[in-house]
Amino acid sequence: MATCCCGALSMATIGEPIKISACHCRSCQKRTGSAFSVAVFFDRENARPRGPSEMFTRLGDSGLPVDFHFCPSCASTLFWYPKFRPAWVGVAIGCFDDHAFVPTQAVYEHERLEWAQIQLRSN
């Protein structure tokens, strides 16, 4: 189970993730207010959101939109739907109660902050 800071918005997931990806792009840095973002991607059929959410849409590098859902009360971004992978949902790793997930890939490393290092799990 993943939840926002205040608990009003949650995402229940079933099964194993498709992949776990750390992103160093500037857009993710700005969205999170941190050095990177980590997404745990699930098949959309295996994820059930509950509670109210607001949405922010931005274009990804694919040219297709990504719909980010955040809690209207605490503003935590909990999940997003990338249109270039319509069957997937990304869930913010820090929102999970279970901290067993470890990134298996890093993307946009050319935009990585020099000091930000991530240890990836090999497949």
Side-chain angles (χ1 to χ4, degrees):
M1 177 73 73
T3 59
C4 66
C5 285
C6 73
L9 180 60
S10 64
M11 176 69 80
T13 59
I14 301 167
E16 294 298 313
I18 297 167
K19 72 176 176 177
I20 305 165
S21 182
C23 183
H24 294 280
C25 81
R26 290 292 295 143
S27 292
C28 282
Q29 290 172 10
K30 289 182 178 192
R31 181 181 56 79
T32 64
S34 185
F36 51 86
S37 168
V38 182
V40 183
F41 287 101
F42 287 90
D43 187 312
R44 203 166 170 165
E45 292 180 1
N46 292 334
R48 299 283 180 263
R50 194 171 93 191
S53 72
E54 296 286 332
M55 189 175 69
F56 169 75
T57 300
R58 72 169 172 81
L59 289 181
D61 282 354
S62 67
L64 297 174
V66 181
D67 297 333
F68 293 93
H69 291 260
F70 61 94
C71 175
S73 296
C74 68
S76 297
T77 300
L78 183 63
F79 61 94
W80 49 95
Y81 297 116
K83 297 287 193 219
F84 76 102
R85 300 232 190 258
W88 291 17
V89 59
V91 184
I93 197 168
C95 295
F96 280 96
D97 296 334
D98 179 358
H99 292 223
F101 298 120
V102 177
T104 54
Q105 75 171 18
V107 297
Y108 291 91
E109 291 187 286
H110 64 281
E111 295 183 13
R112 177 180 62 84
L113 298 179
E114 184 178 320
W115 55 264
Q117 301 294 321
I118 296 174
Q119 184 172 350
L120 301 175
R121 176 175 286 163
S122 58
N123 290 338

